[in-house]
Structures are given as structure tokens and as C-alpha cells.
Amino acid sequence: MAGAGDGGDVLLPEYRPARPEDFADVLALNEAAVPHVNSIGEDVLARLAEQAFHFEVAITDSVAGFVLALPSGVEYASENYSWFSARYDRFVYIDRVVVAEPATGSGIGRQLYERLLTRSAEVAPVLTCEVNLHPPNPRSLAFHRKLGFEEVGQQLTTGGTKRVCMLARSLGEA
């Protein structure tokens, strides 16, 4: 990968669809981000990958970040996905996005979202997600607000142990 900027050896990420050989790294990143994302196992990740509208990784020397988004109309036992399904006919739902801690602030998250936004606008009028309010995730909430997401509701999940802010960004008419 090419160097950039101040002459240091900065690796520019490659963005590509996730492959099964990425799953171990994706799961490790996911687990490092709990409780901001739910813990999942390899079987759940494989099922989500099959249903995904968009599942992309950012690769430097390994997986530095990923985003996994589902289309409306799939069978998915998620309280948050169900919330959006009850309110929107067509949407793309960001199930999880994680950037490795050393890469936070590098632009990887923004680039993963920009690529997802471009694809999503072709199929749905709205892009949706949720961010934890309890336990708090202020960095993610600020990130989503900078990208134009607005609060469309809140709900308690996981038996009342979490409160999430439901967010949506209009994509126009797809």
C-alpha cells in the first residue's frame, strides 16, 4: 500500500467486500467493541453475511474496520431491526460497524459509510442504525450526527438493560 502525508509509512486501506477468510478478524474487532455492538459468534456472522445488503471491510495489514448492513424485508431477530421494520417500508439497516481502536480517527469509518451511502441510495430512501445511550457511546453518536443521521426514536432493549437512540438518514427517493 502507498505511503502518504508526512513521509511516514502510513498504510492506505483497501476497501472490498468481506470474504469468509476475513471472518476471524471481523469477529475479533466485533468482540473488542462490545458493549457498543452485540457479541456474536461465527455462525451468526455467517448468517448475517448471507443476508447482508452490504458487508465491506477496510484492510491495512489486517481488517482495520468493517460495516455490515441489511436490507429491509429479511428475517432477523433483532429488536432494533424490528423497530425500523415497523416504521419503514424500505430501508437499509446498519447492523454493525467497527473500526479498530488504533485506526479510530483515520477516516476509515467515514469512508466505509460513504461507500455504503452510495450503494444504499440506489435501493432505499433511508439508511438506519442505532447507537447506545446506556451504556453511553458518545463518540459514535457524534460521528453519526456529523454524517447527517437524525434521531427518530429511542427504545429499551436487552430486557431493559440498554437504551438506544434510533437514527435515520434520508437518502432521497430510491
Side-chain angles (χ1 to χ4, degrees):
M1 302 265 167
D6 61 4
D9 292 328
V10 175
L11 293 178
L12 298 177
E14 169 194 357
Y15 297 90
R16 63 165 171 75
R19 303 173 185 153
E21 58 266 25
D22 300 322
F23 287 8
D25 286 343
V26 165
L27 286 169
L29 280 179
N30 190 87
E31 291 307 299
V34 172
H36 302 305
V37 295
N38 293 331
S39 179
I40 58 171
E42 192 170 343
D43 58 332
V44 172
L45 179 61
R47 220 171 22 256
L48 288 171
E50 287 175 10
Q51 293 179 300
F53 163 73
H54 186 87
F55 183 14
E56 190 170 65
V57 293
I59 306 286
T60 53
D61 55 343
S62 61
V63 176
F66 72 92
V67 61
L68 192 152
L70 301 169
S72 51
V74 299
E75 289 189 32
Y76 182 34
S78 158
E79 293 172 282
N80 298 319
Y81 183 85
S82 295
W83 191 94
F84 288 114
S85 292
R87 288 160 178 82
Y88 297 96
D89 291 330
R90 290 183 311 131
F91 61 93
V92 172
Y93 171 71
I94 302 165
D95 184 65
R96 56 197 65 237
V97 59
V98 178
V99 174
E101 193 59 41
T104 300
S106 69
I108 287 174
R110 178 175 285 279
Q111 189 58 231
L112 286 167
Y113 266 63
E114 290 299 328
R115 297 166 65 82
L116 173 60
L117 283 162
T118 299
R119 273 198 79 210
S120 298
E122 298 170 6
V123 299
V126 65
L127 183 61
T128 64
C129 66
E130 80 283 338
V131 173
N132 288 353
L133 296 174
H134 179 77
N137 192 350
R139 185 167 54 185
S140 181
L141 198 55
F143 172 79
H144 285 90
R145 287 191 171 140
K146 281 183 194 172
L147 290 178
F149 285 82
E150 296 180 358
E151 182 174 331
V152 292
Q154 292 185 11
Q155 77 170 347
L156 291 172
T157 64
T158 322
T161 62
K162 286 186 179 180
R163 174 173 288 283
V164 294
C165 178
M166 311 308 278
L167 299 169
R169 176 177 166 168
S170 175
L171 299 173
E173 289 303 316

